[in-house]
Amino acid sequence: MTAPRLLPARGPQRLLALAQLANSVGDGAFYVTSALYFTHVVGLAPARIGLGLTLAWAVGSVLGVPLGRLADRRGPRGTAVLLALATGAAVASFLVVRDFVPFVAAALVYATAQSGLSAARQALLAGLVAREERTGLLAHLQSTLNAGLAVGAGLGGVALHQGSEAAYLAVFALDAAGFVVCAAVLWRLPALAPTAAVAGKRLSVLRDRPYALVTLLNTVLLMRMPLLSLGIPLWLTERTNAPAWLVSALFVLNTLGVMVFQVRTARSVSGIPTAVRAVRRSGVLMLAACAVFALSAATDGAWTAAAVLVAASVVLLAAEMLQSAGSWQLGFDLAPADRIGEYQGFFGTGTAVARTLGPLILTTLLVEWGTPGWLLLGGAILAASYAMGPAARWAVSARPGPFQPVRGRFQPVRRLRTRPQADA
């Protein structure tokens, strides 16, 4: 069996992957250094940094929807290029930020441009790649993202070792330059014609209750995102006998695992039925992972605890890859073809919510509640994964599409129903 390639075949798919790689290297360096830069160099209190970022991502996630609609109506390539440049400009502005209000302003632009860029990229992908190839390409992009973040994190580590203001500023400049390169690569993609506006459908995603439910359930599934960066490090150091350096090892294990196996995992997902099954399996594995993480607190000896934590992390990795592949497919297939950017902007709010609320929720559940918190987290994710099937069937039945539900299952239909224009 040949190992999956990090980059897809030549053409638009490879350019999309290269654009992802261009900005992810700088992002990796930015993520590991920004908190220390704003506290040690700028002099902001950690609480104020957290408040500013929470506000920025909350606003950015909301504005991602109209920016996604803009990509649909004005063309996704040009919109993506402009938003990549705006993100780079926001990162560059951090170089001169020296107070809380300018920090919040720069963070607002950064989060808003990032949210819009993600939606525009998805619209661009949907227009350039056949439906049956989208999930596979997204798996490639995820592997590319992880590779770039890993390289960037290494460069950020060098800056942290130097500890100087110049080293921090070099990281920010690298990240800003990465978004400029990203914009240049995106500009090389074929231009797509904008979709025509339909009367009465202005930001219709906000009134699409089935898709909103799918997005809400996906948000619950994404509460796993802060585990590696916050939940597991706190649990490992506060509740187990494992050595502290294992935090880094578990992060590397996850990053390399996604790089190697995400593309292969995504091959099992080819439509709504397989996507629902993947999400359901991910919920079962997530509950199992939470139970094993909880068990690590009851083990004696550092190496025994470490072995249990590694086992739990492997199960978590499998759950993460299945959930990602299934959610990607559902997010695309349940969205109207003429409003991919708008719908992806809304679907992407789940990531912003997980980034915003996840740290508070995980700190309460895992650090304060301990084992019951782990089981509650796993149970909530399992329940959301099993609810995804009925929610997807509701979304399919609410609009024409390649599948219609028959006796609780998705079956292909030859003739698609159309809605009367008056109901649009």
Side-chain angles (χ1 to χ4, degrees):
M1 180 182 296
T2 59
R5 294 177 300 176
L6 179 62
L7 294 176
R10 290 182 180 275
Q13 296 193 25
R14 177 166 293 186
L15 288 175
L16 286 167
L18 290 174
Q20 181 80 285
L21 182 63
N23 69 262
S24 63
V25 173
D27 275 349
F30 177 81
Y31 292 154
V32 300
T33 59
S34 57
L36 292 179
Y37 169 77
F38 288 121
T39 54
H40 294 172
V41 177
V42 179
L44 297 177
R48 303 195 86 186
I49 295 174
L51 174 63
L53 292 177
T54 298
L55 176 63
W57 282 109
V59 173
S61 64
V62 173
L63 294 181
V65 178
L67 287 174
R69 179 181 172 84
L70 180 67
D72 292 331
R73 299 294 171 253
R74 300 298 181 184
R77 188 189 69 169
T79 305
V81 168
L82 289 176
L83 289 171
L85 292 174
T87 307
V91 174
S93 70
F94 287 133
L95 293 168
V96 296
V97 163
R98 290 297 181 270
D99 202 359
F100 178 67
V101 173
F103 165 75
V104 173
L108 282 169
V109 176
Y110 175 79
T112 301
Q114 279 274 49
S115 298
L117 176 59
S118 176
R121 273 175 158 170
Q122 300 294 63
L124 193 56
L125 183 152
L128 294 172
V129 180
R131 177 185 293 269
E132 63 273 12
E133 298 177 357
R134 291 173 187 170
T135 297
L137 175 57
L138 284 166
H140 273 294
L141 295 181
Q142 186 69 18
S143 297
T144 304
L145 172 67
N146 274 36
L149 291 176
V151 173
L155 296 175
V158 174
L160 291 176
H161 178 71
Q162 293 291 327
S164 65
E165 181 176 354
Y168 286 120
L169 295 181
V171 165
F172 283 62
L174 171 67
D175 197 20
F179 280 101
V180 175
V181 175
C182 171
V185 174
L186 291 174
W187 186 251
R188 294 179 58 193
L189 289 165
L192 297 174
T195 57
V198 180
K201 289 189 175 181
R202 185 175 178 82
L203 295 183
S204 58
V205 67
L206 301 180
R207 299 185 296 275
D208 191 334
R209 289 180 293 175
Y211 198 85
L213 177 59
V214 170
T215 301
L216 175 62
L217 293 173
N218 187 59
T219 301
V220 177
L221 300 178
L222 289 174
M223 285 300 154
R224 59 157 178 83
M225 289 182 61
L227 277 175
L228 279 172
S229 60
L230 179 68
I232 293 174
L234 290 176
W235 175 260
L236 186 150
T237 55
E238 298 289 333
R239 294 295 193 107
T240 77
N241 296 317
W245 56 261
L246 188 63
V247 169
S248 177
L250 296 180
F251 183 85
V252 172
L253 170 67
N254 182 271
T255 301
L256 294 179
V258 171
M259 287 173 54
V260 174
F261 296 110
Q262 181 68 80
V263 174
R264 190 171 296 160
T265 301
R267 290 174 185 163
S268 64
V269 178
S270 57
I272 295 178
T274 52
V276 168
R277 285 197 293 271
V279 169
R280 209 160 41 220
R281 288 168 58 198
S282 76
V284 174
L285 289 173
M286 192 66 204
L287 177 60
C290 289
V292 179
F293 275 120
L295 180 63
S296 65
T299 57
D300 295 326
W303 291 109
T304 303
V308 173
L309 287 167
V310 169
S313 297
V314 170
V315 181
L316 173 64
L317 171 65
E320 173 187 340
M321 292 188 295
L322 283 169
Q323 184 270 323
S324 295
S327 294
W328 293 333
Q329 189 81 37
L330 292 172
F332 272 113
D333 282 4
L334 297 177
D338 61 337
R339 299 193 295 281
I340 291 290
E342 176 184 335
Y343 271 64
Q344 284 296 310
F346 183 72
F347 197 70
T349 59
T351 301
V353 171
R355 285 174 173 170
T356 303
L357 299 181
L360 175 62
I361 292 173
L362 291 185
T363 301
T364 301
L365 289 178
L366 308 185
V367 178
E368 297 184 14
W369 293 13
T371 296
W374 275 111
L375 298 180
L376 181 58
L377 175 64
I381 291 177
L382 177 66
S385 70
Y386 269 78
M388 190 64 86
R393 285 194 288 272
W394 184 23
V396 168
S397 65
R399 68 174 59 89
F403 291 91
Q404 294 293 343
V406 178
R407 295 182 182 178
R409 295 178 180 270
F410 293 97
Q411 300 289 343
V413 294
R414 296 180 180 177
R415 188 170 54 193
L416 303 180
R417 295 180 294 148
T418 58
R419 284 184 176 181
Q421 185 64 32
D423 293 339

